[in-house]
Amino acid sequence: MRRVVITGAGTVNALARDVPGTWAAMAAGRSAIGALEFPDVERLSIRIGAQVRDWRPEEHLDRTRLSLYDRFTQFALVAGAEAMAQAGLAAAPGDATRWGAVIGTAGGGNGTVNEAFRAVFAEGRNRVHPFTVPRLMNNAAASHLSMQWGLTGPVFSVATACSSSNHAIGLAFQMIRAGMADGMLAGGAEAMLNFGGLKAWEGLRVMSPDGCHPFSLGRNGMVQGEGAGVFVLEEREAALARGATILAEVRGFCMTSDAGDIVMPSAEGAARTIGGALADAGVTPAEVGYVNAHGTGTAANDRCEAAAIHAVFGARAEQVPVSSTKAMHGHCIGATGAIELLACIMALRDGVIAPTIGYEAPDPDCRLDVVPNAARRAPVEVAISNAFAFGGLNAVLVLSAG
Amino acid sequence: MQEQIISIIAREAVIDADQVRPDMTLDELGLDSLGLVEMIFSIEETFGVSVPFNANEGQAGEFDLSSVGAIVGAVEQLIAGRGAAVA
């Protein structure tokens, strides 16, 4: 079977606008959560988030094209450019019809929708920007990446809430492994931090008004972030032949559905997905040196996820390092798995495990080694990344050192 | 007002209002987490109040959800507080 490696990584998130800066912030255990700044924020009950501040897209992107790009597409294009540069690519190597892109997003051009609704409903205007539709569509980021880099193979978007990124990366992995493509840009992008976007979220009563404390006793909800993570995935032999630097190998993937509740997670479904991904990778739980948790900081997710880790890892459940990096970069929804994959790559490459910051006290329902509050040095051969989405959709990736 | 609140709770629990007693708990009524969030939204919309409720804290939060009667009392307090704030 063909093997699949990651040869490039790029990101924009509230911690940093690139991968080295994000790794440095994760290793330092820095939080980017703070007061949100956008019009009408005073009308929200939830006013904190991990926002990409002072974002000036014209510094990164072609000004003549900017009116076509929603904020989520801007993040994806900047992350994609970093990933391609890191992979040493100015275009698809070889046959561009064998290269594609798959980008996960939950809200797509949510900011564009917010602005258009404000214009017609709140301000009573009868005209919106002519590019409202091509900006807001969920596939905009994937399509602009394909145009930017001339990728004429399979290009599409996936929208599976908080699992979008893991689904995107997992599908890219499977397509390359199966021979349907030779290389893919894969990841996720999200930009929902605006008045309408947050107003919808606060209605569900799952957001914390004051901070993100994954797996910690007394945690009171999630804090939203924004950004993008984009990776270059390639067939391993071709990558080695062109002398590419291998950041990590994608070893396995599993996606499942709980078919249960539209918002409540299932420990059984989560455990089945982790187990399925390990089986796909051909590795045992004993070989896993790091679990990047979904760890949203809600009462329900963290309790369920801990139970799932106990079910899969058995006696070792309290020894394997597990961390949620969401207290640093926020829950980036459709982009979150891609940004969190950076923590897995850091663990595999540098032997640095990102911490779960904001950890205050152990919760008897979450008996795990959550690498509390400070990063840890440890050699890691295999890392897994969990994502468990609203809708009961689960996606777990397994990576090993390249 | 008690009648209005009971009718909201009955609607979310999908039972007749005359089956709802003040001493009943939400569990007894069979209200799940989504039904609870919808019930609170209906109360907010009906009475023009903001209910301090975070699903992560469940019944341990500052808004008393321990029984139908407790909910009625808590809404009465919110309305009184709103009146005071307006005055």
Side-chain angles (χ1 to χ4, degrees):
Chain A
M1 190 147 26
R2 283 154 55 106
R3 292 167 66 178
V4 182
V5 292
I6 297 174
T7 56
T11 188
V12 174
N13 65 79
L15 292 169
R17 287 113 198 271
D18 57 20
V19 170
T22 301
W23 277 337
M26 285 178 169
R30 187 163 68 75
S31 174
I33 293 171
L36 288 169
E37 292 170 11
F38 49 70
D40 291 327
V41 68
E42 66 282 358
R43 289 175 57 205
L44 293 172
S45 60
I46 303 299
R47 297 177 192 165
I48 58 167
Q51 210 171 0
V52 177
R53 291 180 189 282
D54 305 318
W55 177 247
R56 283 183 281 277
E58 65 279 6
E59 291 177 3
H60 308 278
L61 298 163
D62 179 356
R63 282 169 195 245
T64 65
R65 307 272 298 168
L66 264 187
S67 65
L68 286 164
Y69 304 153
D70 179 89
R71 190 174 171 92
F72 94 107
T73 296
Q74 296 170 15
F75 291 158
L77 285 172
V78 173
E82 185 189 9
M84 287 292 281
Q86 173 156 32
L89 295 173
D95 183 357
T97 67
R98 303 271 309 160
W99 276 66
V102 50
I103 299 296
T105 184
N110 185 275
T112 295
V113 175
N114 187 65
E115 282 166 31
F117 281 2
R118 180 188 294 280
V120 295
F121 296 139
E123 296 167 0
R125 285 154 58 190
N126 279 326
R127 195 178 295 123
V128 297
H129 193 280
F131 303 155
T132 297
V133 167
R135 282 171 63 137
L136 68 81
M137 58 193 195
N138 274 11
N139 58 314
S143 289
H144 284 297
L145 278 167
S146 78
M147 289 180 256
Q148 183 83 38
W149 301 104
L151 314 177
T152 55
V155 174
F156 61 112
S157 52
V158 294
T160 45
C162 314
S163 289
S164 301
S165 274
N166 277 21
H167 279 159
I169 295 162
L171 289 175
F173 159 64
Q174 288 180 327
M175 291 168 79
I176 297 168
R177 184 168 68 173
M180 185 178 175
D182 291 336
M184 297 285 285
L185 287 180
E190 200 71 79
M192 259 196 283
L193 296 179
N194 59 67
F195 178 71
L198 258 284
K199 183 52 84 178
W201 274 99
E202 70 178 28
L204 200 53
R205 310 274 183 160
V206 296
M207 308 281 287
S208 168
D210 48 29
C212 181
H213 306 280
F215 299 111
S216 184
L217 192 67
R219 64 188 177 279
N220 63 357
M222 52 178 273
V223 174
Q224 201 166 134
E226 64 177 352
V230 176
F231 299 89
V232 177
L233 270 62
E234 296 182 65
E235 192 276 319
R236 183 170 176 270
E237 292 304 319
L240 290 172
R242 71 176 185 85
T245 302
I246 311 293
L247 297 177
E249 178 170 356
V250 185
R251 294 282 298 276
F253 174 57
C254 182
M255 55 195 289
T256 71
S257 170
D258 298 334
D261 193 280
I262 196 69
V263 292
M264 291 299 284
S266 152
E268 187 278 330
R272 185 161 59 93
T273 317
I274 297 170
L278 293 176
D280 185 47
V283 304
T284 65
E287 294 173 74
V288 176
Y290 171 55
V291 176
N292 182 277
H294 193 53
T296 57
T298 63
N301 174 83
D302 296 3
R303 186 176 57 233
C304 259
E305 187 165 9
I309 290 169
H310 274 265
V312 173
F313 289 88
R316 210 174 145 251
E318 292 179 48
Q319 276 84 52
V320 62
V322 176
S323 74
S324 166
T325 51
K326 286 187 173 71
M328 294 190 268
H329 51 65
H331 189 341
C332 299
I333 315 293
T336 214
I339 292 165
E340 289 162 27
L341 204 67
L342 292 170
C344 291
I345 295 173
M346 181 171 78
L348 294 167
R349 263 176 68 87
D350 303 336
V352 176
I353 298 179
T356 303
I357 68 165
Y359 190 76
E360 294 172 337
D363 178 348
D365 285 339
C366 304
R367 287 177 294 106
L368 299 168
D369 172 6
V370 299
V371 193
N373 299 318
R376 183 185 303 164
R377 285 209 161 271
V380 175
E381 297 295 323
V382 176
I384 71 171
S385 180
N386 291 345
F388 308 121
F390 278 180
L393 308 185
N394 311 305
V396 175
L397 291 162
V398 181
L399 266 61
S400 66
Chain B
M1 190 182 66
Q2 174 161 339
E3 225 172 85
Q4 272 179 295
I5 294 173
I6 284 179
S7 112
I8 290 169
I9 293 172
R11 191 172 66 233
E12 292 304 333
V14 203
I15 57 175
D16 289 336
D18 55 17
Q19 291 177 269
V20 179
R21 298 185 318 273
D23 63 308
M24 288 174 96
T25 66
L26 297 178
D27 279 349
E28 285 171 335
L29 289 161
L31 210 65
D32 67 5
S33 60
L34 287 179
L36 174 59
V37 169
E38 275 205 283
M39 177 200 82
I40 288 170
F41 172 67
S42 282
I43 289 172
E44 290 181 320
E45 288 285 278
T46 304
F47 300 105
V49 294
S50 285
V51 174
F53 171 73
N54 179 334
N56 295 286
E57 291 161 346
Q59 304 210 349
E62 58 181 291
F63 186 78
D64 191 348
L65 291 160
S66 56
S67 68
V68 172
I71 292 171
V72 172
V75 175
E76 279 170 350
Q77 276 184 14
L78 280 177
I79 292 171
R82 186 196 57 188
V86 170

